[in-house]
PDB file of all heavy atoms in Angstrom:
ATOM      1  N   VAL I   1      -4.310   8.634  16.970  1.00 97.00           N
ATOM      2  CA  VAL I   1      -5.273   7.719  17.592  1.00 97.00           C
ATOM      3  C   VAL I   1      -5.527   8.171  19.027  1.00 97.00           C
ATOM      4  O   VAL I   1      -4.599   8.429  19.786  1.00 97.00           O
ATOM      5  CB  VAL I   1      -4.743   6.275  17.541  1.00 97.00           C
ATOM      6  CG1 VAL I   1      -5.657   5.320  18.294  1.00 97.00           C
ATOM      7  CG2 VAL I   1      -4.555   5.838  16.095  1.00 97.00           C
ATOM      8  N   GLY I   2      -6.796   8.254  19.402  1.00 97.00           N
ATOM      9  CA  GLY I   2      -7.173   8.747  20.724  1.00 97.00           C
ATOM     10  C   GLY I   2      -7.272   7.674  21.793  1.00 97.00           C
ATOM     11  O   GLY I   2      -7.205   7.969  22.979  1.00 97.00           O
ATOM     12  N   ARG I   3      -7.467   6.425  21.383  1.00 96.00           N
ATOM     13  CA  ARG I   3      -7.547   5.321  22.342  1.00 96.00           C
ATOM     14  C   ARG I   3      -7.172   4.035  21.618  1.00 96.00           C
ATOM     15  O   ARG I   3      -7.309   3.937  20.401  1.00 96.00           O
ATOM     16  CB  ARG I   3      -8.929   5.205  22.962  1.00 96.00           C
ATOM     17  CG  ARG I   3     -10.050   4.941  21.988  1.00 96.00           C
ATOM     18  CD  ARG I   3     -11.406   4.822  22.687  1.00 96.00           C
ATOM     19  NE  ARG I   3     -12.506   4.974  21.764  1.00 96.00           N
ATOM     20  CZ  ARG I   3     -13.004   3.996  21.014  1.00 96.00           C
ATOM     21  NH1 ARG I   3     -12.508   2.778  21.092  1.00 96.00           N
ATOM     22  NH2 ARG I   3     -14.013   4.227  20.193  1.00 96.00           N
ATOM     23  N   ASP I   4      -6.685   3.058  22.381  1.00 97.00           N
ATOM     24  CA  ASP I   4      -6.355   1.769  21.780  1.00 97.00           C
ATOM     25  C   ASP I   4      -7.587   1.187  21.093  1.00 97.00           C
ATOM     26  O   ASP I   4      -8.715   1.337  21.594  1.00 97.00           O
ATOM     27  CB  ASP I   4      -5.879   0.785  22.848  1.00 97.00           C
ATOM     28  CG  ASP I   4      -4.496   1.113  23.377  1.00 97.00           C
ATOM     29  OD1 ASP I   4      -3.834   2.016  22.832  1.00 97.00           O
ATOM     30  OD2 ASP I   4      -4.078   0.452  24.343  1.00 97.00           O
ATOM     31  N   PRO I   5      -7.403   0.513  19.967  1.00 98.00           N
ATOM     32  CA  PRO I   5      -8.541  -0.082  19.271  1.00 98.00           C
ATOM     33  C   PRO I   5      -9.286  -1.106  20.135  1.00 98.00           C
ATOM     34  O   PRO I   5      -8.661  -1.904  20.834  1.00 98.00           O
ATOM     35  CB  PRO I   5      -7.914  -0.769  18.060  1.00 98.00           C
ATOM     36  CG  PRO I   5      -6.616  -0.065  17.859  1.00 98.00           C
ATOM     37  CD  PRO I   5      -6.158   0.326  19.227  1.00 98.00           C
ATOM     38  N   ALA I   6     -10.596  -1.044  20.092  1.00 98.00           N
ATOM     39  CA  ALA I   6     -11.440  -2.060  20.735  1.00 98.00           C
ATOM     40  C   ALA I   6     -11.737  -3.104  19.664  1.00 98.00           C
ATOM     41  O   ALA I   6     -12.242  -2.773  18.587  1.00 98.00           O
ATOM     42  CB  ALA I   6     -12.727  -1.427  21.243  1.00 98.00           C
ATOM     43  N   ILE I   7     -11.412  -4.352  19.946  1.00 98.00           N
ATOM     44  CA  ILE I   7     -11.581  -5.431  18.973  1.00 98.00           C
ATOM     45  C   ILE I   7     -12.781  -6.274  19.377  1.00 98.00           C
ATOM     46  O   ILE I   7     -12.935  -6.636  20.541  1.00 98.00           O
ATOM     47  CB  ILE I   7     -10.328  -6.333  18.917  1.00 98.00           C
ATOM     48  CG1 ILE I   7      -9.063  -5.508  18.701  1.00 98.00           C
ATOM     49  CG2 ILE I   7     -10.484  -7.418  17.853  1.00 98.00           C
ATOM     50  CD1 ILE I   7      -9.018  -4.720  17.425  1.00 98.00           C
ATOM     51  N   ARG I   8     -13.629  -6.564  18.406  1.00 97.00           N
ATOM     52  CA  ARG I   8     -14.718  -7.511  18.636  1.00 97.00           C
ATOM     53  C   ARG I   8     -14.954  -8.280  17.346  1.00 97.00           C
ATOM     54  O   ARG I   8     -14.405  -7.937  16.305  1.00 97.00           O
ATOM     55  CB  ARG I   8     -15.983  -6.839  19.142  1.00 97.00           C
ATOM     56  CG  ARG I   8     -16.473  -5.708  18.348  1.00 97.00           C
ATOM     57  CD  ARG I   8     -17.740  -5.158  18.936  1.00 97.00           C
ATOM     58  NE  ARG I   8     -18.565  -4.841  17.790  1.00 97.00           N
ATOM     59  CZ  ARG I   8     -19.548  -4.013  17.777  1.00 97.00           C
ATOM     60  NH1 ARG I   8     -19.913  -3.427  18.876  1.00 97.00           N
ATOM     61  NH2 ARG I   8     -20.213  -3.770  16.688  1.00 97.00           N
ATOM     62  N   TYR I   9     -15.747  -9.314  17.452  1.00 97.00           N
ATOM     63  CA  TYR I   9     -16.002 -10.170  16.296  1.00 97.00           C
ATOM     64  C   TYR I   9     -17.479 -10.125  15.959  1.00 97.00           C
ATOM     65  O   TYR I   9     -18.334 -10.304  16.818  1.00 97.00           O
ATOM     66  CB  TYR I   9     -15.540 -11.607  16.580  1.00 97.00           C
ATOM     67  CG  TYR I   9     -14.037 -11.680  16.645  1.00 97.00           C
ATOM     68  CD1 TYR I   9     -13.356 -11.367  17.812  1.00 97.00           C
ATOM     69  CD2 TYR I   9     -13.294 -12.019  15.520  1.00 97.00           C
ATOM     70  CE1 TYR I   9     -11.971 -11.395  17.866  1.00 97.00           C
ATOM     71  CE2 TYR I   9     -11.905 -12.054  15.560  1.00 97.00           C
ATOM     72  CZ  TYR I   9     -11.269 -11.739  16.738  1.00 97.00           C
ATOM     73  OH  TYR I   9      -9.900 -11.752  16.784  1.00 97.00           O
ATOM     74  N   VAL I  10     -17.767  -9.853  14.696  1.00 95.00           N
ATOM     75  CA  VAL I  10     -19.133  -9.800  14.195  1.00 95.00           C
ATOM     76  C   VAL I  10     -19.247 -10.907  13.153  1.00 95.00           C
ATOM     77  O   VAL I  10     -18.593 -10.848  12.105  1.00 95.00           O
ATOM     78  CB  VAL I  10     -19.453  -8.423  13.567  1.00 95.00           C
ATOM     79  CG1 VAL I  10     -20.867  -8.398  13.034  1.00 95.00           C
ATOM     80  CG2 VAL I  10     -19.217  -7.309  14.576  1.00 95.00           C
ATOM     81  N   GLU I  11     -20.021 -11.926  13.476  1.00 95.00           N
ATOM     82  CA  GLU I  11     -20.158 -13.100  12.601  1.00 95.00           C
ATOM     83  C   GLU I  11     -18.782 -13.633  12.191  1.00 95.00           C
ATOM     84  O   GLU I  11     -18.497 -13.848  11.024  1.00 95.00           O
ATOM     85  CB  GLU I  11     -21.019 -12.768  11.390  1.00 95.00           C
ATOM     86  CG  GLU I  11     -22.441 -12.387  11.778  1.00 95.00           C
ATOM     87  CD  GLU I  11     -23.294 -11.972  10.585  1.00 95.00           C
ATOM     88  OE1 GLU I  11     -22.816 -12.069   9.435  1.00 95.00           O
ATOM     89  OE2 GLU I  11     -24.430 -11.559  10.822  1.00 95.00           O
ATOM     90  N   LYS I  12     -17.908 -13.790  13.173  1.00 95.00           N
ATOM     91  CA  LYS I  12     -16.560 -14.330  13.035  1.00 95.00           C
ATOM     92  C   LYS I  12     -15.592 -13.408  12.289  1.00 95.00           C
ATOM     93  O   LYS I  12     -14.462 -13.783  12.019  1.00 95.00           O
ATOM     94  CB  LYS I  12     -16.575 -15.709  12.385  1.00 95.00           C
ATOM     95  CG  LYS I  12     -17.316 -16.733  13.217  1.00 95.00           C
ATOM     96  CD  LYS I  12     -17.194 -18.102  12.615  1.00 95.00           C
ATOM     97  CE  LYS I  12     -17.964 -19.103  13.485  1.00 95.00           C
ATOM     98  NZ  LYS I  12     -17.866 -20.459  12.984  1.00 95.00           N
ATOM     99  N   ARG I  13     -16.021 -12.198  11.935  1.00 97.00           N
ATOM    100  CA  ARG I  13     -15.142 -11.224  11.271  1.00 97.00           C
ATOM    101  C   ARG I  13     -14.601 -10.254  12.315  1.00 97.00           C
ATOM    102  O   ARG I  13     -15.373  -9.663  13.068  1.00 97.00           O
ATOM    103  CB  ARG I  13     -15.913 -10.424  10.223  1.00 97.00           C
ATOM    104  CG  ARG I  13     -16.329 -11.211   9.015  1.00 97.00           C
ATOM    105  CD  ARG I  13     -17.129 -10.357   8.053  1.00 97.00           C
ATOM    106  NE  ARG I  13     -16.326  -9.238   7.548  1.00 97.00           N
ATOM    107  CZ  ARG I  13     -16.845  -8.148   7.002  1.00 97.00           C
ATOM    108  NH1 ARG I  13     -18.157  -7.996   6.900  1.00 97.00           N
ATOM    109  NH2 ARG I  13     -16.065  -7.181   6.571  1.00 97.00           N
ATOM    110  N   PRO I  14     -13.271 -10.039  12.372  1.00 98.00           N
ATOM    111  CA  PRO I  14     -12.737  -9.074  13.332  1.00 98.00           C
ATOM    112  C   PRO I  14     -13.063  -7.645  12.920  1.00 98.00           C
ATOM    113  O   PRO I  14     -13.046  -7.301  11.734  1.00 98.00           O
ATOM    114  CB  PRO I  14     -11.227  -9.322  13.283  1.00 98.00           C
ATOM    115  CG  PRO I  14     -10.976  -9.956  11.966  1.00 98.00           C
ATOM    116  CD  PRO I  14     -12.225 -10.700  11.596  1.00 98.00           C
ATOM    117  N   MET I  15     -13.397  -6.836  13.922  1.00 98.00           N
ATOM    118  CA  MET I  15     -13.684  -5.428  13.711  1.00 98.00           C
ATOM    119  C   MET I  15     -12.938  -4.629  14.776  1.00 98.00           C
ATOM    120  O   MET I  15     -12.994  -4.966  15.957  1.00 98.00           O
ATOM    121  CB  MET I  15     -15.177  -5.140  13.820  1.00 98.00           C
ATOM    122  CG  MET I  15     -15.516  -3.687  13.532  1.00 98.00           C
ATOM    123  SD  MET I  15     -17.173  -3.240  14.029  1.00 98.00           S
ATOM    124  CE  MET I  15     -16.859  -2.827  15.727  1.00 98.00           C
ATOM    125  N   ALA I  16     -12.237  -3.597  14.362  1.00 98.00           N
ATOM    126  CA  ALA I  16     -11.531  -2.707  15.289  1.00 98.00           C
ATOM    127  C   ALA I  16     -12.200  -1.342  15.232  1.00 98.00           C
ATOM    128  O   ALA I  16     -12.516  -0.841  14.155  1.00 98.00           O
ATOM    129  CB  ALA I  16     -10.064  -2.586  14.904  1.00 98.00           C
ATOM    130  N   ALA I  17     -12.418  -0.746  16.404  1.00 98.00           N
ATOM    131  CA  ALA I  17     -13.016   0.589  16.476  1.00 98.00           C
ATOM    132  C   ALA I  17     -12.179   1.445  17.413  1.00 98.00           C
ATOM    133  O   ALA I  17     -11.761   0.988  18.480  1.00 98.00           O
ATOM    134  CB  ALA I  17     -14.449   0.506  16.983  1.00 98.00           C
ATOM    135  N   PHE I  18     -11.917   2.681  16.994  1.00 98.00           N
ATOM    136  CA  PHE I  18     -11.153   3.607  17.818  1.00 98.00           C
ATOM    137  C   PHE I  18     -11.428   5.029  17.346  1.00 98.00           C
ATOM    138  O   PHE I  18     -12.076   5.237  16.325  1.00 98.00           O
ATOM    139  CB  PHE I  18      -9.648   3.291  17.780  1.00 98.00           C
ATOM    140  CG  PHE I  18      -9.048   3.272  16.397  1.00 98.00           C
ATOM    141  CD1 PHE I  18      -8.471   4.406  15.863  1.00 98.00           C
ATOM    142  CD2 PHE I  18      -9.052   2.111  15.647  1.00 98.00           C
ATOM    143  CE1 PHE I  18      -7.907   4.398  14.598  1.00 98.00           C
ATOM    144  CE2 PHE I  18      -8.497   2.083  14.379  1.00 98.00           C
ATOM    145  CZ  PHE I  18      -7.926   3.230  13.854  1.00 98.00           C
ATOM    146  N   SER I  19     -10.944   5.996  18.107  1.00 98.00           N
ATOM    147  CA  SER I  19     -11.121   7.396  17.726  1.00 98.00           C
ATOM    148  C   SER I  19      -9.821   7.940  17.144  1.00 98.00           C
ATOM    149  O   SER I  19      -8.734   7.480  17.478  1.00 98.00           O
ATOM    150  CB  SER I  19     -11.539   8.222  18.940  1.00 98.00           C
ATOM    151  OG  SER I  19     -10.574   8.118  19.958  1.00 98.00           O
ATOM    152  N   LEU I  20      -9.965   8.911  16.247  1.00 98.00           N
ATOM    153  CA  LEU I  20      -8.825   9.567  15.624  1.00 98.00           C
ATOM    154  C   LEU I  20      -9.035  11.065  15.726  1.00 98.00           C
ATOM    155  O   LEU I  20     -10.121  11.568  15.405  1.00 98.00           O
ATOM    156  CB  LEU I  20      -8.711   9.156  14.155  1.00 98.00           C
ATOM    157  CG  LEU I  20      -7.474   9.666  13.420  1.00 98.00           C
ATOM    158  CD1 LEU I  20      -6.284   8.766  13.738  1.00 98.00           C
ATOM    159  CD2 LEU I  20      -7.701   9.723  11.929  1.00 98.00           C
ATOM    160  N   ALA I  21      -8.019  11.778  16.184  1.00 98.00           N
ATOM    161  CA  ALA I  21      -8.096  13.233  16.317  1.00 98.00           C
ATOM    162  C   ALA I  21      -7.356  13.892  15.162  1.00 98.00           C
ATOM    163  O   ALA I  21      -6.232  13.520  14.839  1.00 98.00           O
ATOM    164  CB  ALA I  21      -7.468  13.674  17.640  1.00 98.00           C
ATOM    165  N   THR I  22      -8.012  14.861  14.532  1.00 97.00           N
ATOM    166  CA  THR I  22      -7.355  15.704  13.541  1.00 97.00           C
ATOM    167  C   THR I  22      -7.406  17.128  14.079  1.00 97.00           C
ATOM    168  O   THR I  22      -8.427  17.556  14.618  1.00 97.00           O
ATOM    169  CB  THR I  22      -8.046  15.634  12.168  1.00 97.00           C
ATOM    170  OG1 THR I  22      -9.420  15.988  12.301  1.00 97.00           O
ATOM    171  CG2 THR I  22      -7.940  14.239  11.582  1.00 97.00           C
ATOM    172  N   THR I  23      -6.291  17.843  13.954  1.00 95.00           N
ATOM    173  CA  THR I  23      -6.208  19.192  14.500  1.00 95.00           C
ATOM    174  C   THR I  23      -5.786  20.157  13.408  1.00 95.00           C
ATOM    175  O   THR I  23      -4.843  19.886  12.658  1.00 95.00           O
ATOM    176  CB  THR I  23      -5.192  19.239  15.653  1.00 95.00           C
ATOM    177  OG1 THR I  23      -5.600  18.298  16.651  1.00 95.00           O
ATOM    178  CG2 THR I  23      -5.123  20.619  16.281  1.00 95.00           C
ATOM    179  N   GLU I  24      -6.504  21.263  13.320  1.00 94.00           N
ATOM    180  CA  GLU I  24      -6.126  22.313  12.387  1.00 94.00           C
ATOM    181  C   GLU I  24      -5.796  23.573  13.173  1.00 94.00           C
ATOM    182  O   GLU I  24      -6.371  23.822  14.237  1.00 94.00           O
ATOM    183  CB  GLU I  24      -7.232  22.593  11.372  1.00 94.00           C
ATOM    184  CG  GLU I  24      -8.492  23.174  11.958  1.00 94.00           C
ATOM    185  CD  GLU I  24      -9.524  23.526  10.903  1.00 94.00           C
ATOM    186  OE1 GLU I  24      -9.170  24.104   9.863  1.00 94.00           O
ATOM    187  OE2 GLU I  24     -10.695  23.232  11.144  1.00 94.00           O
ATOM    188  N   THR I  25      -4.849  24.327  12.671  1.00 93.00           N
ATOM    189  CA  THR I  25      -4.458  25.580  13.299  1.00 93.00           C
ATOM    190  C   THR I  25      -4.782  26.709  12.332  1.00 93.00           C
ATOM    191  O   THR I  25      -4.458  26.619  11.144  1.00 93.00           O
ATOM    192  CB  THR I  25      -2.947  25.583  13.613  1.00 93.00           C
ATOM    193  OG1 THR I  25      -2.667  24.460  14.455  1.00 93.00           O
ATOM    194  CG2 THR I  25      -2.531  26.848  14.334  1.00 93.00           C
ATOM    195  N   PHE I  26      -5.437  27.739  12.828  1.00 90.00           N
ATOM    196  CA  PHE I  26      -5.793  28.874  11.979  1.00 90.00           C
ATOM    197  C   PHE I  26      -5.800  30.148  12.817  1.00 90.00           C
ATOM    198  O   PHE I  26      -5.822  30.105  14.037  1.00 90.00           O
ATOM    199  CB  PHE I  26      -7.147  28.652  11.309  1.00 90.00           C
ATOM    200  CG  PHE I  26      -8.288  28.530  12.282  1.00 90.00           C
ATOM    201  CD1 PHE I  26      -9.081  29.627  12.597  1.00 90.00           C
ATOM    202  CD2 PHE I  26      -8.562  27.313  12.902  1.00 90.00           C
ATOM    203  CE1 PHE I  26     -10.129  29.509  13.508  1.00 90.00           C
ATOM    204  CE2 PHE I  26      -9.596  27.189  13.809  1.00 90.00           C
ATOM    205  CZ  PHE I  26     -10.385  28.291  14.112  1.00 90.00           C
ATOM    206  N   ILE I  27      -5.785  31.278  12.128  1.00 89.00           N
ATOM    207  CA  ILE I  27      -5.873  32.573  12.798  1.00 89.00           C
ATOM    208  C   ILE I  27      -7.208  33.193  12.407  1.00 89.00           C
ATOM    209  O   ILE I  27      -7.435  33.504  11.237  1.00 89.00           O
ATOM    210  CB  ILE I  27      -4.707  33.496  12.402  1.00 89.00           C
ATOM    211  CG1 ILE I  27      -3.381  32.864  12.816  1.00 89.00           C
ATOM    212  CG2 ILE I  27      -4.874  34.876  13.035  1.00 89.00           C
ATOM    213  CD1 ILE I  27      -2.151  33.630  12.382  1.00 89.00           C
ATOM    214  N   PRO I  28      -8.125  33.321  13.373  1.00 87.00           N
ATOM    215  CA  PRO I  28      -9.428  33.913  13.069  1.00 87.00           C
ATOM    216  C   PRO I  28      -9.267  35.370  12.610  1.00 87.00           C
ATOM    217  O   PRO I  28      -8.303  36.041  12.988  1.00 87.00           O
ATOM    218  CB  PRO I  28     -10.187  33.860  14.403  1.00 87.00           C
ATOM    219  CG  PRO I  28      -9.412  32.934  15.268  1.00 87.00           C
ATOM    220  CD  PRO I  28      -8.010  32.931  14.770  1.00 87.00           C
ATOM    221  N   SER I  29     -10.195  35.841  11.806  1.00 87.00           N
ATOM    222  CA  SER I  29     -10.113  37.227  11.342  1.00 87.00           C
ATOM    223  C   SER I  29     -10.161  38.174  12.541  1.00 87.00           C
ATOM    224  O   SER I  29     -10.939  37.990  13.472  1.00 87.00           O
ATOM    225  CB  SER I  29     -11.254  37.542  10.370  1.00 87.00           C
ATOM    226  OG  SER I  29     -12.490  37.367  11.000  1.00 87.00           O
ATOM    227  N   GLY I  30      -9.285  39.148  12.527  1.00 85.00           N
ATOM    228  CA  GLY I  30      -9.214  40.119  13.610  1.00 85.00           C
ATOM    229  C   GLY I  30      -8.369  39.673  14.787  1.00 85.00           C
ATOM    230  O   GLY I  30      -8.164  40.424  15.730  1.00 85.00           O
ATOM    231  N   ALA I  31      -7.857  38.441  14.763  1.00 85.00           N
ATOM    232  CA  ALA I  31      -7.039  37.939  15.878  1.00 85.00           C
ATOM    233  C   ALA I  31      -5.574  37.894  15.448  1.00 85.00           C
ATOM    234  O   ALA I  31      -5.259  37.920  14.257  1.00 85.00           O
ATOM    235  CB  ALA I  31      -7.507  36.556  16.294  1.00 85.00           C
ATOM    236  N   THR I  32      -4.700  37.842  16.418  1.00 86.00           N
ATOM    237  CA  THR I  32      -3.272  37.747  16.111  1.00 86.00           C
ATOM    238  C   THR I  32      -2.681  36.411  16.530  1.00 86.00           C
ATOM    239  O   THR I  32      -1.630  36.024  16.051  1.00 86.00           O
ATOM    240  CB  THR I  32      -2.496  38.878  16.818  1.00 86.00           C
ATOM    241  OG1 THR I  32      -2.747  38.784  18.219  1.00 86.00           O
ATOM    242  CG2 THR I  32      -2.920  40.233  16.297  1.00 86.00           C
ATOM    243  N   GLU I  33      -3.343  35.718  17.432  1.00 90.00           N
ATOM    244  CA  GLU I  33      -2.847  34.429  17.926  1.00 90.00           C
ATOM    245  C   GLU I  33      -3.535  33.276  17.192  1.00 90.00           C
ATOM    246  O   GLU I  33      -4.747  33.303  16.980  1.00 90.00           O
ATOM    247  CB  GLU I  33      -3.116  34.293  19.420  1.00 90.00           C
ATOM    248  CG  GLU I  33      -2.358  35.281  20.281  1.00 90.00           C
ATOM    249  CD  GLU I  33      -0.849  35.085  20.200  1.00 90.00           C
ATOM    250  OE1 GLU I  33      -0.397  33.917  20.226  1.00 90.00           O
ATOM    251  OE2 GLU I  33      -0.140  36.092  20.073  1.00 90.00           O
ATOM    252  N   PRO I  34      -2.771  32.249  16.828  1.00 91.00           N
ATOM    253  CA  PRO I  34      -3.385  31.087  16.186  1.00 91.00           C
ATOM    254  C   PRO I  34      -4.258  30.299  17.170  1.00 91.00           C
ATOM    255  O   PRO I  34      -3.999  30.278  18.368  1.00 91.00           O
ATOM    256  CB  PRO I  34      -2.197  30.253  15.722  1.00 91.00           C
ATOM    257  CG  PRO I  34      -1.030  30.752  16.488  1.00 91.00           C
ATOM    258  CD  PRO I  34      -1.330  32.135  16.937  1.00 91.00           C
ATOM    259  N   VAL I  35      -5.274  29.676  16.621  1.00 92.00           N
ATOM    260  CA  VAL I  35      -6.202  28.855  17.395  1.00 92.00           C
ATOM    261  C   VAL I  35      -6.138  27.437  16.845  1.00 92.00           C
ATOM    262  O   VAL I  35      -6.081  27.237  15.633  1.00 92.00           O
ATOM    263  CB  VAL I  35      -7.648  29.403  17.272  1.00 92.00           C
ATOM    264  CG1 VAL I  35      -8.644  28.480  17.941  1.00 92.00           C
ATOM    265  CG2 VAL I  35      -7.735  30.801  17.835  1.00 92.00           C
ATOM    266  N   LYS I  36      -6.126  26.459  17.742  1.00 94.00           N
ATOM    267  CA  LYS I  36      -6.159  25.052  17.322  1.00 94.00           C
ATOM    268  C   LYS I  36      -7.564  24.503  17.538  1.00 94.00           C
ATOM    269  O   LYS I  36      -8.177  24.744  18.573  1.00 94.00           O
ATOM    270  CB  LYS I  36      -5.159  24.221  18.115  1.00 94.00           C
ATOM    271  CG  LYS I  36      -3.737  24.466  17.738  1.00 94.00           C
ATOM    272  CD  LYS I  36      -2.815  23.478  18.439  1.00 94.00           C
ATOM    273  CE  LYS I  36      -1.389  23.712  17.965  1.00 94.00           C
ATOM    274  NZ  LYS I  36      -0.486  22.702  18.504  1.00 94.00           N
TER     275      LYS I  36
END
């Protein structure tokens, strides 16, 4: 999670919004060091 959820109410229904980070590590062709 990138930030605490922001909570608001839409027609009395709670809604939470936040960001999520996914990270992949790979080695590009021709390179020797991994890249994230």
